[in-house]
Amino acid sequence: MRSLTCLLLAPLFSLACDSEATPPPDAGTVVLAHDEGVDFATGTTVTPGTHSNTDLYASTNGDSGMKLTTGGPTIIENRPISWFKTGGGIATEFPDLASVPVTPLPTAVDAMLHAKNSLGFLLETADGDYVRGWISSATSSSVTIEWERVAE
């Protein structure tokens, strides 16, 4: 009887082990087209991407480029992001993701109106984590972002 009970309960225990939450990805690469966004908690692309369902989303900027904006509770309340601009307000270009700073933590909301190659950012995600990213490729129809979660 004991063997039969163990045999019947074994599948339940394996399901409990399989149903444990997997940790969020620590890094990745995402390609965003117009009206797509990324959820950094899962590392997945969301279509359509909006302020309410993504950490960062791409939209048309009114000309031939891409605008990148952080998500937030409302369309006008976005989460903080740093684009690491120079004293003159020009976005700094970086050679790779490892060169993008992890400090200071972002405190302001700042959409990137013209996403272009080599720009880097640090943003606060919906779950309170911080992610740094680097645009490895940008065209009028897509943006490729390499990213990684950073420790506070």
Side-chain angles (χ1 to χ4, degrees):
M1 183 68 168
R2 185 174 182 189
S3 297
L4 180 60
T5 303
C6 289
L7 182 63
L8 292 173
L9 292 178
L12 294 176
F13 289 118
S14 69
L15 284 176
C17 293
D18 290 343
S19 66
E20 290 181 17
T22 50
D26 289 329
T29 300
V30 63
V31 179
L32 300 178
H34 290 280
D35 300 322
E36 289 184 336
V38 59
D39 175 357
F40 288 118
T42 60
T44 57
T45 301
V46 179
T47 305
T50 68
H51 69 279
S52 64
N53 65 0
T54 62
D55 292 310
L56 187 69
Y57 65 98
S59 60
T60 304
N61 68 3
D63 59 23
S64 62
M66 300 278 284
K67 175 181 174 184
L68 295 176
T69 309
T70 57
T74 71
I75 193 86
I76 58 171
E77 282 184 79
N78 301 86
R79 284 183 293 281
I81 187 168
S82 293
W83 284 100
F84 304 106
K85 295 182 179 177
T86 65
I90 306 297
T92 303
E93 294 184 15
F94 298 95
D96 53 33
L97 177 62
S99 301
V100 177
V102 295
T103 59
L105 294 179
T107 58
V109 174
D110 186 19
M112 178 50 62
L113 298 179
H114 298 278
K116 66 179 196 169
N117 295 351
S118 303
L119 298 184
F121 62 84
L122 179 63
L123 68 77
E124 182 180 342
T125 65
D127 60 6
D129 286 345
Y130 290 92
V131 167
R132 72 173 164 179
W134 178 69
I135 300 174
S136 60
S137 174
T139 68
S140 62
S141 60
S142 70
V143 177
T144 303
I145 300 170
E146 295 178 24
W147 64 274
E148 69 182 0
R149 196 169 312 285
V150 297
E152 290 183 57

